[in-house]
Amino acid sequence: MNGNGNATVINGVKTLKDILPPEGQPVHVLFVGKFPVKESVDAGHYYQGRMGQKLWEMLKRYGIIEDKFEYLLPNVFEDDDLPKYGYGMTDIVKRPGESGDELAKTEVIDGYARVKRLIKDRDVKIVVFLFKEVLEAILKSKNFLMKGEIIERGFDKSNNKAFFNNAEVFVFPGMGFQQNIQEEQTIMKQLKDKIDELNQKE
């Protein structure tokens, strides 16, 4: 670990460590990405690239995290506040990569095992896949994805949560492509409503 925000070193490679609430506190949502990009690793914070910033914009727009003025200041980052909401953040692969890089099957299998163990150990309620292709890669690598089965954005309508210790599975509406804004609003409202429901149960 180098002291640079959430940066760490794994197997001799500089990357980002998982962000989680302290032990004993509930993990309502675990955000799962693909891998950290160079801009994020250099900054020591998740989703600092041009496309990655869209994640934070969406989470603020839909009230998943607070939209604070302080985030406009240097050295103030959204991911530092995730634990206070009961959120965690990780990647399926902990090595840095570039947008468009393919994941090796062995990386996906190993990453799935690690994320599944994390979901179980921390009793995660909702696992949010920030990229649909990551969930698809996991399901294909374990032969869980039936031929012709389509993964939809939003909450999983099949039985995929059985593969994630019965956590609710949510596929983010997407950060890097043009989409139907009404569909996005509907999907994100579902996530916000589910999080509000979890908060009310505390």
Side-chain angles (χ1 to χ4, degrees):
M1 189 140 154
N2 61 12
N4 179 19
N6 295 305
T8 189
V9 175
I10 298 177
N11 297 325
V13 178
K14 185 179 176 183
T15 184
L16 294 178
K17 66 180 179 180
D18 293 348
I19 296 175
L20 291 165
E23 286 286 346
Q25 292 187 14
V27 181
H28 288 164
V29 180
L30 178 66
F31 294 98
V32 179
K34 189 175 181 180
F35 43 59
V37 298
K38 183 179 184 300
E39 294 96 327
S40 298
V41 174
D42 288 346
H45 293 274
Y46 280 90
Y47 298 99
Q48 295 305 303
R50 182 177 59 84
M51 296 304 300
Q53 288 288 340
K54 294 180 182 295
L55 168 65
W56 302 120
E57 292 170 10
M58 287 180 68
L59 294 181
K60 294 170 193 171
R61 184 160 66 246
Y62 292 103
I64 309 297
I65 65 172
E66 185 181 354
D67 187 2
K68 299 195 305 186
F69 169 79
E70 287 86 345
Y71 294 140
L72 299 174
L73 301 175
N75 301 317
V76 180
F77 297 91
E78 291 89 345
D79 61 354
D80 284 336
D81 284 339
L82 293 179
K84 79 175 186 181
Y85 297 106
Y87 303 160
M89 184 165 278
T90 187
D91 290 295
I92 195 67
V93 173
K94 296 308 292 184
R95 64 162 173 81
E98 295 183 7
S99 179
D101 284 357
E102 295 292 326
L103 298 176
K105 185 175 180 179
T106 54
E107 290 183 311
V108 174
I109 291 173
D110 291 346
Y112 167 66
R114 183 181 61 82
V115 169
K116 185 178 180 183
R117 188 165 55 248
L118 183 58
I119 292 168
K120 181 180 180 181
D121 290 347
R122 297 304 305 269
D123 192 25
V124 174
K125 302 305 182 187
I126 304 171
V127 55
V128 174
F129 286 95
L130 296 173
F131 303 96
K132 188 172 79 160
E133 63 264 31
V134 170
L135 176 58
E136 290 173 337
I138 290 172
L139 298 177
K140 287 176 182 176
S141 74
K142 304 296 286 186
N143 295 318
F144 294 151
L145 190 66
M146 304 300 292
K147 188 174 182 180
E149 184 179 358
I150 297 174
I151 302 298
E152 297 182 359
R153 301 181 191 278
F155 277 104
D156 175 50
K157 297 180 178 63
S158 65
N159 198 33
N160 287 327
K161 72 178 187 176
F163 307 128
F164 298 96
N165 293 102
N166 288 317
E168 295 282 353
V169 175
F170 181 90
V171 179
F172 210 71
M175 298 174 281
F177 57 90
Q178 189 68 32
Q179 59 195 356
N180 184 309
I181 189 64
Q182 288 186 323
E183 181 182 9
E184 176 189 294
Q185 291 171 344
T186 298
I187 291 172
M188 292 301 291
K189 184 178 185 303
Q190 291 171 357
L191 179 60
K192 179 65 163 58
D193 288 348
K194 183 67 72 170
I195 292 172
D196 288 346
E197 183 181 316
L198 289 171
N199 287 332
Q200 289 170 5
K201 289 180 180 179
E202 283 193 347

mmCIF file with all atom_site columns, all heavy atoms in Angstrom, residues 2 5 32 34 45-47 56 89 96 103 106 130 137 160 167 178 181-182 188:
data_model
loop_
_atom_site.group_PDB
_atom_site.id
_atom_site.type_symbol
_atom_site.label_atom_id
_atom_site.label_alt_id
_atom_site.label_comp_id
_atom_site.label_asym_id
_atom_site.label_entity_id
_atom_site.label_seq_id
_atom_site.pdbx_PDB_ins_code
_atom_site.Cartn_x
_atom_site.Cartn_y
_atom_site.Cartn_z
_atom_site.occupancy
_atom_site.B_iso_or_equiv
_atom_site.pdbx_formal_charge
_atom_site.auth_seq_id
_atom_site.auth_comp_id
_atom_site.auth_asym_id
_atom_site.auth_atom_id
_atom_site.pdbx_PDB_model_num
ATOM 1   N N   . ASN A 1 2   ? 0.485   2.235   -0.762  1.00 0.00 ? 2   ASN A N   1
ATOM 2   C CA  . ASN A 1 2   ? 1.374   3.389   -0.921  1.00 0.00 ? 2   ASN A CA  1
ATOM 3   C C   . ASN A 1 2   ? 0.846   4.671   -0.305  1.00 0.00 ? 2   ASN A C   1
ATOM 4   O O   . ASN A 1 2   ? 1.435   5.717   -0.444  1.00 0.00 ? 2   ASN A O   1
ATOM 5   C CB  . ASN A 1 2   ? 1.678   3.615   -2.400  1.00 0.00 ? 2   ASN A CB  1
ATOM 6   C CG  . ASN A 1 2   ? 0.435   3.913   -3.207  1.00 0.00 ? 2   ASN A CG  1
ATOM 7   O OD1 . ASN A 1 2   ? -0.629  4.163   -2.641  1.00 0.00 ? 2   ASN A OD1 1
ATOM 8   N ND2 . ASN A 1 2   ? 0.551   3.881   -4.517  1.00 0.00 ? 2   ASN A ND2 1
ATOM 9   N N   . GLY A 1 5   ? -4.570  7.524   -1.388  1.00 0.00 ? 5   GLY A N   1
ATOM 10  C CA  . GLY A 1 5   ? -6.003  7.245   -1.414  1.00 0.00 ? 5   GLY A CA  1
ATOM 11  C C   . GLY A 1 5   ? -6.295  5.779   -1.198  1.00 0.00 ? 5   GLY A C   1
ATOM 12  O O   . GLY A 1 5   ? -5.860  5.183   -0.218  1.00 0.00 ? 5   GLY A O   1
ATOM 13  N N   . VAL A 1 32  ? -19.776 -3.559  -8.379  1.00 0.00 ? 32  VAL A N   1
ATOM 14  C CA  . VAL A 1 32  ? -18.736 -4.396  -8.972  1.00 0.00 ? 32  VAL A CA  1
ATOM 15  C C   . VAL A 1 32  ? -18.427 -3.894  -10.374 1.00 0.00 ? 32  VAL A C   1
ATOM 16  O O   . VAL A 1 32  ? -19.307 -3.877  -11.240 1.00 0.00 ? 32  VAL A O   1
ATOM 17  C CB  . VAL A 1 32  ? -19.167 -5.874  -9.031  1.00 0.00 ? 32  VAL A CB  1
ATOM 18  C CG1 . VAL A 1 32  ? -18.069 -6.722  -9.671  1.00 0.00 ? 32  VAL A CG1 1
ATOM 19  C CG2 . VAL A 1 32  ? -19.492 -6.402  -7.636  1.00 0.00 ? 32  VAL A CG2 1
ATOM 20  N N   . LYS A 1 34  ? -15.267 -3.660  -13.655 1.00 0.00 ? 34  LYS A N   1
ATOM 21  C CA  . LYS A 1 34  ? -14.477 -4.572  -14.488 1.00 0.00 ? 34  LYS A CA  1
ATOM 22  C C   . LYS A 1 34  ? -13.031 -4.615  -13.996 1.00 0.00 ? 34  LYS A C   1
ATOM 23  O O   . LYS A 1 34  ? -12.547 -5.654  -13.569 1.00 0.00 ? 34  LYS A O   1
ATOM 24  C CB  . LYS A 1 34  ? -14.527 -4.100  -15.947 1.00 0.00 ? 34  LYS A CB  1
ATOM 25  C CG  . LYS A 1 34  ? -13.948 -5.055  -16.957 1.00 0.00 ? 34  LYS A CG  1
ATOM 26  C CD  . LYS A 1 34  ? -14.185 -4.506  -18.374 1.00 0.00 ? 34  LYS A CD  1
ATOM 27  C CE  . LYS A 1 34  ? -13.645 -5.456  -19.431 1.00 0.00 ? 34  LYS A CE  1
ATOM 28  N NZ  . LYS A 1 34  ? -13.864 -4.940  -20.805 1.00 0.00 ? 34  LYS A NZ  1
ATOM 29  N N   . HIS A 1 45  ? -8.325  6.568   -6.560  1.00 0.00 ? 45  HIS A N   1
ATOM 30  C CA  . HIS A 1 45  ? -9.767  6.580   -6.304  1.00 0.00 ? 45  HIS A CA  1
ATOM 31  C C   . HIS A 1 45  ? -10.507 6.026   -7.526  1.00 0.00 ? 45  HIS A C   1
ATOM 32  O O   . HIS A 1 45  ? -10.092 6.239   -8.664  1.00 0.00 ? 45  HIS A O   1
ATOM 33  C CB  . HIS A 1 45  ? -10.256 7.998   -5.998  1.00 0.00 ? 45  HIS A CB  1
ATOM 34  C CG  . HIS A 1 45  ? -9.727  8.527   -4.707  1.00 0.00 ? 45  HIS A CG  1
ATOM 35  N ND1 . HIS A 1 45  ? -10.342 8.287   -3.503  1.00 0.00 ? 45  HIS A ND1 1
ATOM 36  C CD2 . HIS A 1 45  ? -8.608  9.250   -4.439  1.00 0.00 ? 45  HIS A CD2 1
ATOM 37  C CE1 . HIS A 1 45  ? -9.638  8.861   -2.536  1.00 0.00 ? 45  HIS A CE1 1
ATOM 38  N NE2 . HIS A 1 45  ? -8.578  9.452   -3.074  1.00 0.00 ? 45  HIS A NE2 1
ATOM 39  N N   . TYR A 1 46  ? -11.617 5.374   -7.249  1.00 0.00 ? 46  TYR A N   1
ATOM 40  C CA  . TYR A 1 46  ? -12.389 4.719   -8.299  1.00 0.00 ? 46  TYR A CA  1
ATOM 41  C C   . TYR A 1 46  ? -13.045 5.724   -9.254  1.00 0.00 ? 46  TYR A C   1
ATOM 42  O O   . TYR A 1 46  ? -13.498 6.788   -8.844  1.00 0.00 ? 46  TYR A O   1
ATOM 43  C CB  . TYR A 1 46  ? -13.488 3.856   -7.686  1.00 0.00 ? 46  TYR A CB  1
ATOM 44  C CG  . TYR A 1 46  ? -13.015 2.513   -7.176  1.00 0.00 ? 46  TYR A CG  1
ATOM 45  C CD1 . TYR A 1 46  ? -12.567 2.363   -5.862  1.00 0.00 ? 46  TYR A CD1 1
ATOM 46  C CD2 . TYR A 1 46  ? -13.016 1.392   -7.999  1.00 0.00 ? 46  TYR A CD2 1
ATOM 47  C CE1 . TYR A 1 46  ? -12.147 1.132   -5.382  1.00 0.00 ? 46  TYR A CE1 1
ATOM 48  C CE2 . TYR A 1 46  ? -12.599 0.157   -7.533  1.00 0.00 ? 46  TYR A CE2 1
ATOM 49  C CZ  . TYR A 1 46  ? -12.157 0.027   -6.219  1.00 0.00 ? 46  TYR A CZ  1
ATOM 50  O OH  . TYR A 1 46  ? -11.739 -1.188  -5.754  1.00 0.00 ? 46  TYR A OH  1
ATOM 51  N N   . TYR A 1 47  ? -13.108 5.349   -10.527 1.00 0.00 ? 47  TYR A N   1
ATOM 52  C CA  . TYR A 1 47  ? -13.872 6.027   -11.574 1.00 0.00 ? 47  TYR A CA  1
ATOM 53  C C   . TYR A 1 47  ? -13.518 7.504   -11.702 1.00 0.00 ? 47  TYR A C   1
ATOM 54  O O   . TYR A 1 47  ? -14.354 8.384   -11.580 1.00 0.00 ? 47  TYR A O   1
ATOM 55  C CB  . TYR A 1 47  ? -15.380 5.804   -11.372 1.00 0.00 ? 47  TYR A CB  1
ATOM 56  C CG  . TYR A 1 47  ? -15.695 4.342   -11.482 1.00 0.00 ? 47  TYR A CG  1
ATOM 57  C CD1 . TYR A 1 47  ? -15.848 3.558   -10.343 1.00 0.00 ? 47  TYR A CD1 1
ATOM 58  C CD2 . TYR A 1 47  ? -15.762 3.723   -12.725 1.00 0.00 ? 47  TYR A CD2 1
ATOM 59  C CE1 . TYR A 1 47  ? -16.053 2.195   -10.446 1.00 0.00 ? 47  TYR A CE1 1
ATOM 60  C CE2 . TYR A 1 47  ? -15.971 2.354   -12.831 1.00 0.00 ? 47  TYR A CE2 1
ATOM 61  C CZ  . TYR A 1 47  ? -16.113 1.599   -11.688 1.00 0.00 ? 47  TYR A CZ  1
ATOM 62  O OH  . TYR A 1 47  ? -16.312 0.242   -11.792 1.00 0.00 ? 47  TYR A OH  1
ATOM 63  N N   . TRP A 1 56  ? -20.439 8.640   -11.035 1.00 0.00 ? 56  TRP A N   1
ATOM 64  C CA  . TRP A 1 56  ? -20.709 9.507   -9.887  1.00 0.00 ? 56  TRP A CA  1
ATOM 65  C C   . TRP A 1 56  ? -21.838 10.491  -10.200 1.00 0.00 ? 56  TRP A C   1
ATOM 66  O O   . TRP A 1 56  ? -22.686 10.769  -9.339  1.00 0.00 ? 56  TRP A O   1
ATOM 67  C CB  . TRP A 1 56  ? -19.442 10.248  -9.473  1.00 0.00 ? 56  TRP A CB  1
ATOM 68  C CG  . TRP A 1 56  ? -18.314 9.329   -9.129  1.00 0.00 ? 56  TRP A CG  1
ATOM 69  C CD1 . TRP A 1 56  ? -17.093 9.264   -9.732  1.00 0.00 ? 56  TRP A CD1 1
ATOM 70  C CD2 . TRP A 1 56  ? -18.304 8.325   -8.104  1.00 0.00 ? 56  TRP A CD2 1
ATOM 71  N NE1 . TRP A 1 56  ? -16.322 8.288   -9.154  1.00 0.00 ? 56  TRP A NE1 1
ATOM 72  C CE2 . TRP A 1 56  ? -17.038 7.696   -8.150  1.00 0.00 ? 56  TRP A CE2 1
ATOM 73  C CE3 . TRP A 1 56  ? -19.237 7.890   -7.158  1.00 0.00 ? 56  TRP A CE3 1
ATOM 74  C CZ2 . TRP A 1 56  ? -16.686 6.663   -7.287  1.00 0.00 ? 56  TRP A CZ2 1
ATOM 75  C CZ3 . TRP A 1 56  ? -18.893 6.858   -6.293  1.00 0.00 ? 56  TRP A CZ3 1
ATOM 76  C CH2 . TRP A 1 56  ? -17.637 6.260   -6.359  1.00 0.00 ? 56  TRP A CH2 1
ATOM 77  N N   . MET A 1 89  ? -17.300 -1.137  -2.862  1.00 0.00 ? 89  MET A N   1
ATOM 78  C CA  . MET A 1 89  ? -16.924 -1.078  -4.279  1.00 0.00 ? 89  MET A CA  1
ATOM 79  C C   . MET A 1 89  ? -15.721 -1.969  -4.526  1.00 0.00 ? 89  MET A C   1
ATOM 80  O O   . MET A 1 89  ? -14.768 -1.984  -3.745  1.00 0.00 ? 89  MET A O   1
ATOM 81  C CB  . MET A 1 89  ? -16.615 0.369   -4.684  1.00 0.00 ? 89  MET A CB  1
ATOM 82  C CG  . MET A 1 89  ? -16.311 0.546   -6.168  1.00 0.00 ? 89  MET A CG  1
ATOM 83  S SD  . MET A 1 89  ? -16.400 2.304   -6.678  1.00 0.00 ? 89  MET A SD  1
ATOM 84  C CE  . MET A 1 89  ? -18.184 2.512   -6.916  1.00 0.00 ? 89  MET A CE  1
ATOM 85  N N   . PRO A 1 96  ? -5.057  -3.237  -13.167 1.00 0.00 ? 96  PRO A N   1
ATOM 86  C CA  . PRO A 1 96  ? -5.527  -2.122  -13.989 1.00 0.00 ? 96  PRO A CA  1
ATOM 87  C C   . PRO A 1 96  ? -5.664  -2.545  -15.444 1.00 0.00 ? 96  PRO A C   1
ATOM 88  O O   . PRO A 1 96  ? -4.996  -3.471  -15.911 1.00 0.00 ? 96  PRO A O   1
ATOM 89  C CB  . PRO A 1 96  ? -4.439  -1.064  -13.814 1.00 0.00 ? 96  PRO A CB  1
ATOM 90  C CG  . PRO A 1 96  ? -3.221  -1.828  -13.401 1.00 0.00 ? 96  PRO A CG  1
ATOM 91  C CD  . PRO A 1 96  ? -3.696  -3.030  -12.649 1.00 0.00 ? 96  PRO A CD  1
ATOM 92  N N   . LEU A 1 103 ? -11.430 -9.629  -20.748 1.00 0.00 ? 103 LEU A N   1
ATOM 93  C CA  . LEU A 1 103 ? -11.043 -10.360 -19.554 1.00 0.00 ? 103 LEU A CA  1
ATOM 94  C C   . LEU A 1 103 ? -10.766 -11.816 -19.919 1.00 0.00 ? 103 LEU A C   1
ATOM 95  O O   . LEU A 1 103 ? -11.532 -12.432 -20.661 1.00 0.00 ? 103 LEU A O   1
ATOM 96  C CB  . LEU A 1 103 ? -12.155 -10.312 -18.504 1.00 0.00 ? 103 LEU A CB  1
ATOM 97  C CG  . LEU A 1 103 ? -12.544 -8.932  -17.974 1.00 0.00 ? 103 LEU A CG  1
ATOM 98  C CD1 . LEU A 1 103 ? -13.726 -9.057  -17.022 1.00 0.00 ? 103 LEU A CD1 1
ATOM 99  C CD2 . LEU A 1 103 ? -11.361 -8.272  -17.278 1.00 0.00 ? 103 LEU A CD2 1
ATOM 100 N N   . THR A 1 106 ? -9.887  -17.229 -16.998 1.00 0.00 ? 106 THR A N   1
ATOM 101 C CA  . THR A 1 106 ? -9.350  -17.552 -15.670 1.00 0.00 ? 106 THR A CA  1
ATOM 102 C C   . THR A 1 106 ? -9.493  -16.371 -14.720 1.00 0.00 ? 106 THR A C   1
ATOM 103 O O   . THR A 1 106 ? -9.759  -16.562 -13.526 1.00 0.00 ? 106 THR A O   1
ATOM 104 C CB  . THR A 1 106 ? -7.866  -17.960 -15.767 1.00 0.00 ? 106 THR A CB  1
ATOM 105 O OG1 . THR A 1 106 ? -7.135  -16.928 -16.461 1.00 0.00 ? 106 THR A OG1 1
ATOM 106 C CG2 . THR A 1 106 ? -7.716  -19.271 -16.507 1.00 0.00 ? 106 THR A CG2 1
ATOM 107 N N   . LEU A 1 130 ? -21.738 -2.854  -12.629 1.00 0.00 ? 130 LEU A N   1
ATOM 108 C CA  . LEU A 1 130 ? -21.688 -1.576  -13.333 1.00 0.00 ? 130 LEU A CA  1
ATOM 109 C C   . LEU A 1 130 ? -21.575 -1.759  -14.840 1.00 0.00 ? 130 LEU A C   1
ATOM 110 O O   . LEU A 1 130 ? -21.886 -0.841  -15.599 1.00 0.00 ? 130 LEU A O   1
ATOM 111 C CB  . LEU A 1 130 ? -20.528 -0.738  -12.805 1.00 0.00 ? 130 LEU A CB  1
ATOM 112 C CG  . LEU A 1 130 ? -20.661 -0.330  -11.333 1.00 0.00 ? 130 LEU A CG  1
ATOM 113 C CD1 . LEU A 1 130 ? -19.394 0.344   -10.841 1.00 0.00 ? 130 LEU A CD1 1
ATOM 114 C CD2 . LEU A 1 130 ? -21.868 0.579   -11.119 1.00 0.00 ? 130 LEU A CD2 1
ATOM 115 N N   . ALA A 1 137 ? -19.932 -12.300 -18.524 1.00 0.00 ? 137 ALA A N   1
ATOM 116 C CA  . ALA A 1 137 ? -18.689 -13.073 -18.529 1.00 0.00 ? 137 ALA A CA  1
ATOM 117 C C   . ALA A 1 137 ? -18.663 -14.068 -17.372 1.00 0.00 ? 137 ALA A C   1
ATOM 118 O O   . ALA A 1 137 ? -18.209 -15.217 -17.533 1.00 0.00 ? 137 ALA A O   1
ATOM 119 C CB  . ALA A 1 137 ? -17.483 -12.133 -18.452 1.00 0.00 ? 137 ALA A CB  1
ATOM 120 N N   . ASN A 1 160 ? -30.563 -15.546 -11.325 1.00 0.00 ? 160 ASN A N   1
ATOM 121 C CA  . ASN A 1 160 ? -29.123 -15.373 -11.207 1.00 0.00 ? 160 ASN A CA  1
ATOM 122 C C   . ASN A 1 160 ? -28.668 -15.065 -9.786  1.00 0.00 ? 160 ASN A C   1
ATOM 123 O O   . ASN A 1 160 ? -27.504 -15.288 -9.447  1.00 0.00 ? 160 ASN A O   1
ATOM 124 C CB  . ASN A 1 160 ? -28.642 -14.277 -12.154 1.00 0.00 ? 160 ASN A CB  1
ATOM 125 C CG  . ASN A 1 160 ? -28.668 -14.725 -13.596 1.00 0.00 ? 160 ASN A CG  1
ATOM 126 O OD1 . ASN A 1 160 ? -28.444 -15.898 -13.886 1.00 0.00 ? 160 ASN A OD1 1
ATOM 127 N ND2 . ASN A 1 160 ? -28.950 -13.816 -14.513 1.00 0.00 ? 160 ASN A ND2 1
ATOM 128 N N   . ALA A 1 167 ? -27.984 -12.570 -2.935  1.00 0.00 ? 167 ALA A N   1
ATOM 129 C CA  . ALA A 1 167 ? -28.060 -11.107 -3.000  1.00 0.00 ? 167 ALA A CA  1
ATOM 130 C C   . ALA A 1 167 ? -28.865 -10.728 -4.237  1.00 0.00 ? 167 ALA A C   1
ATOM 131 O O   . ALA A 1 167 ? -28.837 -11.424 -5.255  1.00 0.00 ? 167 ALA A O   1
ATOM 132 C CB  . ALA A 1 167 ? -26.656 -10.503 -3.084  1.00 0.00 ? 167 ALA A CB  1
ATOM 133 N N   . GLN A 1 178 ? -25.482 6.006   -25.542 1.00 0.00 ? 178 GLN A N   1
ATOM 134 C CA  . GLN A 1 178 ? -26.765 6.700   -25.611 1.00 0.00 ? 178 GLN A CA  1
ATOM 135 C C   . GLN A 1 178 ? -27.884 5.739   -25.240 1.00 0.00 ? 178 GLN A C   1
ATOM 136 O O   . GLN A 1 178 ? -27.917 4.614   -25.701 1.00 0.00 ? 178 GLN A O   1
ATOM 137 C CB  . GLN A 1 178 ? -26.990 7.232   -27.036 1.00 0.00 ? 178 GLN A CB  1
ATOM 138 C CG  . GLN A 1 178 ? -28.188 8.162   -27.169 1.00 0.00 ? 178 GLN A CG  1
ATOM 139 C CD  . GLN A 1 178 ? -27.976 9.484   -26.429 1.00 0.00 ? 178 GLN A CD  1
ATOM 140 O OE1 . GLN A 1 178 ? -26.860 9.952   -26.337 1.00 0.00 ? 178 GLN A OE1 1
ATOM 141 N NE2 . GLN A 1 178 ? -29.034 10.056  -25.908 1.00 0.00 ? 178 GLN A NE2 1
ATOM 142 N N   . ILE A 1 181 ? -33.703 7.819   -21.804 1.00 0.00 ? 181 ILE A N   1
ATOM 143 C CA  . ILE A 1 181 ? -33.633 8.446   -20.491 1.00 0.00 ? 181 ILE A CA  1
ATOM 144 C C   . ILE A 1 181 ? -34.777 7.994   -19.598 1.00 0.00 ? 181 ILE A C   1
ATOM 145 O O   . ILE A 1 181 ? -34.613 7.846   -18.379 1.00 0.00 ? 181 ILE A O   1
ATOM 146 C CB  . ILE A 1 181 ? -33.608 9.997   -20.609 1.00 0.00 ? 181 ILE A CB  1
ATOM 147 C CG1 . ILE A 1 181 ? -33.307 10.630  -19.247 1.00 0.00 ? 181 ILE A CG1 1
ATOM 148 C CG2 . ILE A 1 181 ? -34.892 10.524  -21.197 1.00 0.00 ? 181 ILE A CG2 1
ATOM 149 C CD1 . ILE A 1 181 ? -31.949 10.316  -18.686 1.00 0.00 ? 181 ILE A CD1 1
ATOM 150 N N   . GLN A 1 182 ? -35.953 7.737   -20.169 1.00 0.00 ? 182 GLN A N   1
ATOM 151 C CA  . GLN A 1 182 ? -37.074 7.256   -19.366 1.00 0.00 ? 182 GLN A CA  1
ATOM 152 C C   . GLN A 1 182 ? -36.790 5.866   -18.810 1.00 0.00 ? 182 GLN A C   1
ATOM 153 O O   . GLN A 1 182 ? -37.108 5.568   -17.655 1.00 0.00 ? 182 GLN A O   1
ATOM 154 C CB  . GLN A 1 182 ? -38.367 7.248   -20.187 1.00 0.00 ? 182 GLN A CB  1
ATOM 155 C CG  . GLN A 1 182 ? -38.919 8.644   -20.459 1.00 0.00 ? 182 GLN A CG  1
ATOM 156 C CD  . GLN A 1 182 ? -40.278 8.589   -21.150 1.00 0.00 ? 182 GLN A CD  1
ATOM 157 O OE1 . GLN A 1 182 ? -40.533 7.739   -21.994 1.00 0.00 ? 182 GLN A OE1 1
ATOM 158 N NE2 . GLN A 1 182 ? -41.146 9.515   -20.795 1.00 0.00 ? 182 GLN A NE2 1
ATOM 159 N N   . MET A 1 188 ? -33.187 3.221   -12.399 1.00 0.00 ? 188 MET A N   1
ATOM 160 C CA  . MET A 1 188 ? -32.503 3.798   -11.248 1.00 0.00 ? 188 MET A CA  1
ATOM 161 C C   . MET A 1 188 ? -33.457 4.034   -10.083 1.00 0.00 ? 188 MET A C   1
ATOM 162 O O   . MET A 1 188 ? -33.063 3.942   -8.917  1.00 0.00 ? 188 MET A O   1
ATOM 163 C CB  . MET A 1 188 ? -31.804 5.088   -11.650 1.00 0.00 ? 188 MET A CB  1
ATOM 164 C CG  . MET A 1 188 ? -30.624 4.895   -12.596 1.00 0.00 ? 188 MET A CG  1
ATOM 165 S SD  . MET A 1 188 ? -29.326 3.821   -11.923 1.00 0.00 ? 188 MET A SD  1
ATOM 166 C CE  . MET A 1 188 ? -28.672 4.863   -10.607 1.00 0.00 ? 188 MET A CE  1
#
